[in-house]
Amino acid sequence: MSMLTHAEAQFDRVASLLRDDFPPEILDKIKMPRERIELRLAPLLSNGHVRVVRAFIVHHNSALGPCKGGVRMTPDVTLDDVQALAMEMTWKCALIGVPFGGGKSGIVASPETLSAHDKEVLIRSFARNASRHIHPLLYVPAPDMGTNERDMGHIKDAISYSLGQATTQGCYVTGKPVILGGIPGRREATGRGVVRVIAAAMEAEGRSLSGAKAVVQGFGNVGAVTAQMLVEAGARVIAISDIHGAIEAPGGIDVGALTAHVAATGRVSGLAGARAIDPAAMLTLPCDVLVPAAAGGQITAANAGAVRAKMIAEGANGPTTPEADDILNARGVTVLPDILCNAGGVFVSYLEYTQETQKEQMTREDVLRWLSQRMTERYQRVRETASARSLSLRQAAMTIAVREVAAAVMARGLLP
Ligand code: NAD
């Protein structure tokens, strides 16, 4: 099953709970994307050759505001994946309470195989070709898998250049360097938010992060910050993986040393004091919390029965398939759903968006305080809804979000 089939299946489950509250055509309307855009980029790379690259943009829903969502650069991303991810952004923005709709972009390329120069050329080509679809009141991109702060700086520059202006007016892209109007704390916002939700959930279950054992899949923007924050909260991170392999250290991985090791070697494998383990076996290690923070579809019907974590915190988008979700729920494993757990990034992106409109720089302390408050408050709302209506945390989160989007569609009215 594809990511899109999973995302639509999750939606259909929740839509069936809301059939009495909204007409079916409204639920159908918010399930479908507004626009699926396919682009052909043709950047001239440093080897003197033009490379033809496919790219996608999906504007899923803009009832609550401009579409918001990151740019994914992976060799296997598809237009359907981008639609699934854009759909998730619609629910995430509604749940976390920011006036954005859902969008997403994909560029079919492998960032590891591109030089810094060629990646910049490719990103600029994307920005130029996508410029009709990117605007503060239409769609505002951000980093996602395979893209980062530097790339967002290039997107802003390429759009300013296309407009013939020194800069852009309003926020065309978030997650950019602070010196270009970015916001302090955005880079680590998603990982920090993940750990805040884990801490709140553990507290609600009468447990504590202090002394807890954690496993983290992925050591990029989300995984590395999550691992670091878990250690700062007193947890022991016993295993970490990336796309090349996985490492384990039962006494706890030194995340600072791992960050330096990855900066030097480009992979987690080979860290002194840790041993290599099978990445698939890592997902079933006994632990208090497992954080998938890499690709989608990692916990499936095939391995959910073997998961020995007490809690799964979805740092990644769509890491658990609907069948796996059922198995985990039946086994009493707490699943902190992606649209709640990793929403810290888009929440701080909203602060960046307002900062750029109001032209007043926010402090890191303010950003981190608001982030922590919002994540805690939304976790509590989801938990209360789940217990009041006997729903899983995912069903509760989705119900709140879909209700908000459907209400916005109804309030806007049905005619163009
Ligand atoms: P990234 O590109 O910075 O890092 C991805 C990491 O995952 C890398 O370490 C990579 O080696 C690893 N990886 C990729 N495929 C893997 C696999 N099959 N097994 C193990 N490791 C694998 O990406 P990121 O920004 O950290 O995003 C990670 C996930 O979090 C994605 O699902 C993304 O959609 C989601 N997310 C990101 C943000 C954000 O602010 N960056 C916000 C919300 C959700």
Side-chain angles (χ1 to χ4, degrees), residues 15 32 76 85 152 167 170 172 220 223 226 261 300 302 353 370 393:
M32 286 185 61
D76 53 3
L85 291 161
M152 301 307 114
T167 187
Y172 278 72
T226 299
H261 172 78
T300 65
Y353 185 88
W370 283 325
L393 293 175

Side-chain angles (χ1 to χ4, degrees), residues 313-385:
E314 295 186 336
N317 286 314
T320 312
T321 65
E323 302 75 36
D325 218 22
D326 291 341
I327 296 169
L328 295 167
N329 282 329
R331 293 183 52 222
V333 178
T334 303
V335 181
L336 303 173
D338 48 4
I339 62 168
L340 168 69
C341 195
N342 69 36
V346 77
F347 176 68
V348 172
S349 277
Y350 176 63
L351 299 181
E352 182 175 338
Y353 185 88
T354 57
Q355 172 186 272
E356 212 155 352
T357 316
Q358 292 163 6
K359 299 196 166 53
E360 194 175 329
Q361 185 79 42
M362 285 183 208
T363 65
R364 185 179 157 79
E365 291 66 38
D366 282 342
V367 170
L368 298 186
R369 184 167 38 83
W370 283 325
L371 170 66
S372 174
Q373 279 170 0
R374 182 63 66 101
M375 298 307 290
T376 311
E377 184 228 301
R378 294 297 148 138
Y379 164 74
Q380 278 157 358
R381 186 183 293 188
V382 169
R383 184 178 157 82
E384 280 159 20
T385 305

